[in-house]
Structures are given as structure tokens and as C-alpha cells.
């Protein structure tokens, strides 16, 4: 009888703990499998990593000293209740079951099997009780996030070897295509939108492949090359993201880009970069690694780009709106809820009228980058203009969405940074309807996070008719900024989560309303 109860206890414990392991692995994946970032998340989210309910089985452990049968039955009941009533948290981005995740699950399972095995072994002596089994199983439930971290550390050398194999394979593919020309695109913001516009322009005359979605890391670009790049492709467009120094250079060493675009440089990921100078240096790795016959395309209106001392004397093409001596200039710009129109003037005196469904001044810069590289590749300006007219907004990047009721949504929820968020507010400010902002603020800004979020709120107070903040703790800097500007208390609302924010949005939208969704934090930031 006792053996059967032990089997039932271990079975129900396994079901509940598996749920915790899946959740902890999800958080690890959202932190890019990086030990330090994952550990930081655990430290700042102790109530989620170690919820009080996971300590309830300790009640059964106490009873174990008086009656083993009653204790183990109570343990089964407690884990059963925890399993039945486990919370199903809303997930914006679900756990992706990759080969790496499967390997991680195997390692975690081995750690748990060893844990249970030790507990069973020490509980089988003639005079011993089930205390060791209870202690180890309860501890491993409480420490599920630590077990996941330990498995990630154990697997790290193996994952490094696997990634290196994939990287070497991608290098061979690139080397086998000497005719291939690579366009690298980076920047603190605008790189994904620019990538899509450049792809549409170049695809009007060439066979083009671009990295999909946000595959902008070394391994993301590696995967794209290994699974999607074919011998018939003429041009490969690689978006290059970075969260620390040398991230861009590592991708450049793989793809050997001939063209490099820097869209803009701003204070983003300061948590890992520490300083703006480090960000500049890292973004310019795309230019400094260009070959002697390569070409750099730079936004000359961006003061952070222009303040960098470029070492590589390769051909450099400047585009912009306001700066002097531009190779490609946007003029006569007009905006509406339908998009933007402007004239692009090329350095040889030719020009073209551009019409686009894209919103915002920063998209003018993104389009100029595409016009510049398309024209330098020999595509006529009128053909480029036709291609740009067909470009649709990238999902969640100032994407205009009409609804059935009074509400029009400007979806800029993919990501947010100090400059991009200001530009998004400027777009909202151009609308004639009732203006509403929904935002949780910006993250990964290091020591300047409070200041930059407060400044963002101050600017929002000058533009918006109503503001909905998402997250009571996360938005404290924003709340302080609104109070600093004496923004009326009845004109803003602090929502518990996004669903609460959307409920409030529908409540206040009694007239024609434009809503800016600025940033949507990942699941790791759920309060």
C-alpha cells in the first residue's frame, strides 16, 4: 500500500513540477538563454520564481513525523489541488519548442530523476522514513527555476559546440556563392522596417532574400542562411541586432556584407551597453568591417551617427531631410492618416515623387535608405517609387488598424526606445481625433531608465488627451512625469495589465479616437 501511495505522490508531483519547468524554461528563452539575464529576472521576480503556494507541501512533511500514511495522502492532495488550480498566465509569446529546448528538458529531467532517486534511496532503509523523499521533492518544486538555470549551465558547452557547427556550415554556404551581395542593416530602431522596404525595392530587379521576422542575432542570421539561402539569390539582406559589443561584428564576419546601412543610433539596451559611446561603436562595426569597395549608407540627420569618428574610408552615401550636403534628400513632406508623400532629390539632380502608406518622420528616413541603395544598384527612381508605394507597414511598428467602432489604432507595440517613442507621439499628435496613449513605458535603459521614461511621460502630457499606463510598478516613472506636468488625474489611468488597459480604452472612446499602443513588454515583465 505504501509503495502505491509513493508512486501516486511522485506522479502528481511530476505533473505539477513539469508545469513549473515549462514556465521557467519559457522565461529562460525570453531572456535569450543567458545566465546573467535569467538570474537577474529571478532576483527581480522572486514572487513568481518562488511563489508561496509552492511551500504548502511542507504541511505534509510536518505530519510525516507523526503518521506516514496520512502525510503522503495529504501530499498527494496538496499537489493535486496545486495542479488543478494552477494559474494559466496570458502569454504574449509562447514557448517555442526548439531542439535546444528539447535538450534542456532532457537535462532538467535527468536532474529531477537524480533528485527523486536520492530521495527514494534514503527512504528505503529499515528504520528510515519518507522524510528524505519529501524534503527533496518539495525542495525541487520550490527551486524549479534554479534547476532550469543549472540545466542551462550544464548544457552551455554543448550548445556552444552545436552553434559553432551551424555557424561554420553557414560560412561554407556564403563562401560557395561568390556572386552574392550582402546588405547589412543595423540601428537602434528602424532596422526591421528598413529591411522590409529595402527588400521590396531591390526585389523589383533582383532575386532577394531577407532575414525573416526579427532573426537579427548571429544564430538567427545563421539559421536563415542554412535553411533559406539558395544559389539563385543575388542579394541577401541581413538585419543585425546587438545587445553588447562585438555582436554586429560577429554577424559581419559571417556574411561579409558589401553594403552597410545604419538607420539611427539612440539610447537603447543601456543595461548591457552601459554607455551611448559603446552603442555607437557597436553599430559602426557594420561600417568598419566593410571591404574597400563597399558602401556605407548613413542617416546624416542623426547626431549620434555623425558624432562618431568613422575609421573606414569606404564610399559613404548620406541621406536625410535637414542636414547639408546630402546624396539623397526628402523634400516637400506631408503626412495624413493614409500615410506620407514627399519628393526625393538625388545628388545628380534627378528626383521622384514618393507615396507611402507608412506613418511618421522616421519612416521617411527608412524609405530614403531604401531609395539610396536601390538607386546605387542601378534601379530607376520611378521604379523605386512604384515599389515603395506597395510597401505595407511592418506588423506592430506604427501599423494603422481600423476598427468597427470609434477607434483607430496605431500599433507601435513591438518595441520602444527614447527616440522612436517620441516620433510615435509626434505621429499621434498629427491626428485630429481624440488622442489616447497606452504604454507600459520603456525597458533595458540601465541607470537612465527612470529619467527617460519620466521624460517620455512629460512629452506625452503635451500630446495626449488621455493616457493609460500598463503596470502599477513598471509605470512609476511615467506617473511621476505626468504629475510633474500637472496632467489631470482624471485624464490618466493605471491599468493592472494590457487587458485592463484595453477595457478602459473601450470605456473612454465615446468619440472618434486614435489610440497609440506604444510598446508591449514581454512576458518576463508581467507584474
Amino acid at each position: 500500500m505504501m509503495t502505491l501511495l509513493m508512486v501516486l505522490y511522485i506522479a502528481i508531483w511530476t505533473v505539477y513540477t513539469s508545469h513549473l519547468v515549462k514556465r521557467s524554461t519559457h522565461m529562460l528563452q525570453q531572456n535569450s538563454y543567458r545566465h546573467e539575464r535569467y538570474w537577474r529576472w529571478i532576483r527581480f521576480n522572486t514572487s513568481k520564481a518562488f511563489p508561496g503556494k509552492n511551500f504548502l507541501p511542507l504541511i505534509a512533511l510536518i505530519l510525516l513525523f507523526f503518521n506516514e500514511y496520512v502525510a503522503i495522502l495529504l501530499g498527494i492532495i496538496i499537489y493535486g489541488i496545486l495542479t488543478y488550480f494552477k494559474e494559466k498566465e496570458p502569454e504574449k509569446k509562447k514557448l517555442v519548442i526548439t531542439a535546444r529546448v528539447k535538450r534542456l528538458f532532457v537535462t532538467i529531467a535527468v536532474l529531477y530523476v537524480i533528485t527523486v532517486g536520492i530521495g527514494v534511496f534514503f527512504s528505503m532503509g529499515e528504520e528510515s522514513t519518507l522524510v528524505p523523499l519529501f524534503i527533496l521533492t518539495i525542495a525541487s518544486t520550490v527551486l524549479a527555476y534554479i534547476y532550469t538555470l543549472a540545466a542551462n549551465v550544464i548544457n552551455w558547452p554543448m550548445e556552444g559546440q552545436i552553434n559553432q557547427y551551424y555557424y561554420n556550415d553557414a560560412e561554407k554556404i556564403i563562401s560557395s556563392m561568390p556572386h552574392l551581395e550582402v546588405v547589412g542593416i543595423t540601428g537602434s530602431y528602424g532596422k526591421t522596417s528598413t529591411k522590409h522596404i529595402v527588400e521590396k525595392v531591390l526585389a523589383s530587379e533582383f532575386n532577394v532574400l531577407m532575414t525573416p521576422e526579427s532573426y537579427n542575432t548571429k544564430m538567427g542570421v545563421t539559421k536563415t542562411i542554412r535553411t533559406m539561402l539558395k544559389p539563385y539569390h543575388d542579394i541577401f539582406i541581413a538585419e543585425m541586432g546587438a545587445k553588447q559589443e562585438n555582436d554586429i561584428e560577429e554577424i559581419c564576419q559571417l556574411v561579409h556584407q558589401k553594403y552597410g546601412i545604419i538607420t539611427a543610433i539612440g539610447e537603447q539596451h543601456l543595461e548591457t551597453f552601459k554607455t551611448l559611446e559603446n552603442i555607437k561603436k557597436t553599430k559602426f562595426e557594420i561600417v568598419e568591417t566593410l571591404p574597400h569597395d563597399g558602401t556605407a549608407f548613413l542617416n546624416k540627420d542623426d547626431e549620434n551617427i555623425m558624432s562618431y569618428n568613422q575609421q573606414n574610408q569606404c564610399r559613404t552615401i548620406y541621406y536625410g531631410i535637414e542636414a547639408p550636403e546630402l546624396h539623397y534628400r526628402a523634400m516637400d513632406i506631408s503626412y495624413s492618416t493614409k500615410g506620407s508623400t514627399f519628393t526625393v532629390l538625388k545628388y545628380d539632380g534627378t528626383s521622384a515623387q514618393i507615396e507611402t502608406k507608412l506613418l511618421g518622420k522616421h519612416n521617411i528616413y527608412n524609405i530614403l535608405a531604401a531609395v539610396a541603395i536601390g538607386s546605387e544598384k542601378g534601379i530607376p527612381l520611378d521604379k523605386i517609387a512604384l515599389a515603395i508605394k506597395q510597401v505595407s507597414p511592418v506588423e506592430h511598428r506604427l501599423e494603422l488598424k481600423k476598427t468597427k467602432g470609434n477607434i483607430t489604432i496605431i500599433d507601435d507595440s513591438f518595441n520602444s526606445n527614447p527616440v522612436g517613442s517620441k516620433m510615435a507621439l509626434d505621429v499621434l499628435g498629427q491626428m485630429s481625433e481624440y488622442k489616447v496613449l497606452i504604454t507600459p513605458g520603456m525597458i533595458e535603459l540601465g541607470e537612465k531608465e527612470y529619467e527617460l521614461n519620466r521624460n517620455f511621460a512629460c512629452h506625452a502630457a503635451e500630446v495626449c488627451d488621455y493616457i493609460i499606463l500598463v503596470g502599477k510598478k513598471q509605470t512609476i516613472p511615467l506617473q511621476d512625469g505626468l504629475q510633474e506636468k500637472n496632467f489631470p488625474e482624471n485624464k490618466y489611468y493605471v491599468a493592472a495589465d494590457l487587458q485592463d488597459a484595453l477595457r478602459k480604452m473601450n470605456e473612454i472612446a465615446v468619440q472618434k479616437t486614435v489610440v497609440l499602443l506604444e510598446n508591449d513588454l514581454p512576458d518576463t515583465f508581467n507584474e
Side-chain angles (χ1 to χ4, degrees):
M1 182 63 178
M2 179 59 72
T3 302
L4 178 60
L5 288 176
M6 286 178 63
V7 171
L8 285 174
Y9 172 81
I10 292 173
I12 194 66
W13 166 83
T14 300
V15 172
Y16 180 67
T17 305
S18 296
H19 162 71
L20 296 178
V21 166
K22 182 181 178 183
R23 179 65 180 163
S24 61
T25 303
H26 185 201
M27 292 300 99
L28 178 66
Q29 188 177 75
Q30 296 240 325
N31 282 286
S32 305
Y33 302 100
R34 295 192 176 184
H35 313 319
E36 70 285 356
R37 291 180 60 185
Y38 182 60
W39 179 245
R40 181 181 183 276
W41 181 88
I42 290 174
R43 288 192 296 110
F44 285 94
N45 294 271
T46 53
S47 61
K48 291 183 179 180
F50 312 108
K53 61 186 178 181
N54 285 350
F55 292 87
L56 287 175
L58 288 173
I59 299 171
L61 174 61
I62 294 171
L63 289 179
L64 196 64
F65 293 97
F66 303 99
N67 189 306
E68 288 189 352
Y69 284 98
V70 174
I72 200 166
L73 276 171
L74 184 59
I76 292 170
I77 292 170
I78 291 174
Y79 276 118
I81 292 172
L82 290 175
T83 301
Y84 185 80
F85 290 103
K86 67 179 183 290
E87 295 179 10
K88 186 173 178 60
E89 295 188 32
E91 296 177 346
K92 299 163 190 169
K93 184 178 180 181
K94 294 186 179 296
L95 173 66
V96 182
I97 308 297
T98 61
R100 179 170 189 166
V101 168
K102 291 176 182 178
R103 291 190 292 269
L104 192 66
F105 281 159
V106 169
T107 304
I108 294 171
V110 169
L111 291 177
Y112 274 108
V113 167
I114 292 172
T115 299
V116 174
I118 293 172
V120 171
F121 176 78
F122 284 103
S123 300
M124 293 179 65
E126 292 183 5
E127 298 181 358
S128 63
T129 66
L130 298 174
V131 172
L133 175 62
F134 263 60
I135 291 176
L136 288 173
T137 54
I138 294 171
S140 56
T141 296
V142 172
L143 300 176
Y145 283 77
I146 304 301
Y147 272 64
T148 300
L149 176 61
N152 193 53
V153 172
I154 291 169
N155 284 9
W156 195 258
M158 176 181 64
E159 296 300 337
Q161 290 298 314
I162 292 172
N163 288 345
Q164 189 60 47
Y165 169 80
Y166 291 152
Y167 184 87
N168 293 342
D169 188 46
E171 275 190 319
K172 292 176 184 176
I173 294 171
I174 291 288
S175 298
S176 69
M177 300 175 64
H179 70 281
L180 182 72
E181 291 188 336
V182 178
V183 178
I185 301 175
T186 193
S188 297
Y189 57 90
K191 52 186 176 291
T192 301
S193 296
T194 301
K195 174 184 67 177
H196 282 268
I197 304 168
V198 170
E199 189 274 338
K200 185 68 75 172
V201 168
L202 295 180
S204 65
E205 285 208 4
F206 303 96
N207 287 318
V208 180
L209 172 69
M210 68 175 177
T211 50
E213 301 173 11
S214 291
Y215 280 42
N216 59 15
T217 63
K218 181 176 78 170
M219 295 316 300
V221 175
T222 295
K223 183 176 181 180
T224 304
I225 294 169
R226 296 184 66 247
T227 60
M228 301 176 68
L229 188 62
K230 305 300 179 186
Y232 54 76
H233 284 126
D234 303 310
I235 296 174
F236 175 43
I237 303 171
E239 179 183 345
M240 302 181 185
K243 290 191 175 181
Q244 55 193 22
E245 292 183 69
N246 302 317
D247 278 359
I248 302 294
E249 185 176 2
E250 286 184 345
I251 302 174
C252 294
Q253 289 172 348
L254 169 63
V255 300
H256 304 294
Q257 78 285 2
K258 185 176 180 180
Y259 306 99
I261 299 173
I262 302 181
T263 59
I265 296 177
E267 294 173 307
Q268 193 176 33
H269 302 307
L270 279 172
E271 197 171 275
T272 50
F273 278 116
K274 306 302 181 186
T275 68
L276 181 58
E277 289 304 314
N278 288 337
I279 296 175
K280 293 180 189 178
K281 180 177 178 293
T282 302
K283 296 302 181 184
F284 261 89
E285 289 170 2
I286 200 172
V287 173
E288 303 297 1
T289 56
L290 284 170
H292 68 278
D293 61 342
T295 304
F297 295 84
L298 305 180
N299 177 357
K300 199 173 185 181
D301 284 355
D302 188 288
E303 61 180 20
N304 289 323
I305 289 177
M306 297 312 298
S307 64
Y308 178 81
N309 183 23
Q310 181 180 325
Q311 301 298 310
N312 190 345
Q313 298 303 308
C314 63
R315 184 168 181 252
T316 301
I317 297 292
Y318 293 107
Y319 61 89
I321 300 172
E322 299 154 358
E325 300 179 9
L326 293 168
H327 296 93
Y328 292 86
R329 182 186 300 276
M331 306 169 60
D332 305 323
I333 302 169
S334 63
Y335 304 102
S336 72
T337 55
K338 295 181 180 179
S340 314
T341 61
F342 63 95
T343 299
V344 61
L345 177 64
K346 186 178 175 180
Y347 56 87
D348 63 1
T350 59
S351 64
Q353 184 76 11
I354 304 292
E355 297 180 18
T356 176
K357 291 174 275 190
L358 305 183
L359 297 170
K361 184 178 180 180
H362 69 289
N363 270 320
I364 303 297
Y365 291 115
N366 298 340
I367 290 169
L368 281 172
V371 171
I373 194 167
S375 183
E376 295 305 303
K377 288 294 296 175
I379 305 175
L381 287 179
D382 57 347
K383 193 171 185 178
I384 292 173
L386 182 61
I388 290 170
K389 194 172 183 178
Q390 299 168 357
V391 174
S392 297
V394 179
E395 190 175 16
H396 307 309
R397 292 172 173 86
L398 281 182
E399 180 185 10
L400 199 65
K401 297 178 177 179
K402 299 288 186 180
T403 65
K404 293 180 181 178
N406 295 326
I407 301 172
T408 298
I409 291 177
I410 302 174
D411 185 353
D412 197 38
S413 61
F414 177 78
N415 207 335
S416 192
N417 60 79
V419 179
S421 61
K422 183 180 182 301
M423 287 186 173
L425 282 173
D426 291 341
V427 171
L428 181 65
Q430 293 162 9
M431 306 300 170
S432 58
E433 296 89 345
Y434 191 73
K435 303 171 188 61
V436 176
L437 168 67
I438 299 179
T439 184
M442 300 171 286
I443 60 172
E444 296 183 340
L445 296 173
E447 295 178 354
K448 301 187 74 173
E449 186 164 299
Y450 178 90
E451 175 191 348
L452 293 170
N453 274 295
R454 189 192 64 213
N455 292 342
F456 173 47
C458 290
H459 184 48
E462 298 173 351
V463 173
C464 304
D465 297 308
Y466 199 95
I467 297 172
I468 302 174
L469 306 178
V470 184
K472 298 184 185 302
K473 296 179 182 177
Q474 174 68 28
T475 61
I476 288 174
L478 298 167
Q479 296 172 46
D480 291 347
L482 294 180
Q483 291 169 11
E484 180 182 326
K485 283 293 183 177
N486 296 316
F487 196 72
E489 289 187 11
N490 65 340
K491 291 297 182 181
Y492 74 91
Y493 174 75
V494 183
D497 52 36
L498 183 59
Q499 294 306 312
D500 186 25
L502 295 177
R503 179 196 60 75
K504 187 65 177 180
M505 174 191 75
N506 287 306
E507 178 187 311
I508 64 173
V510 295
Q511 55 186 299
K512 284 193 174 182
T513 302
V514 178
V515 178
L516 171 63
L517 295 179
E518 183 60 27
N519 207 6
D520 184 12
L521 299 184
D523 296 299
T524 50
F525 284 85
N526 289 341
E527 291 189 4

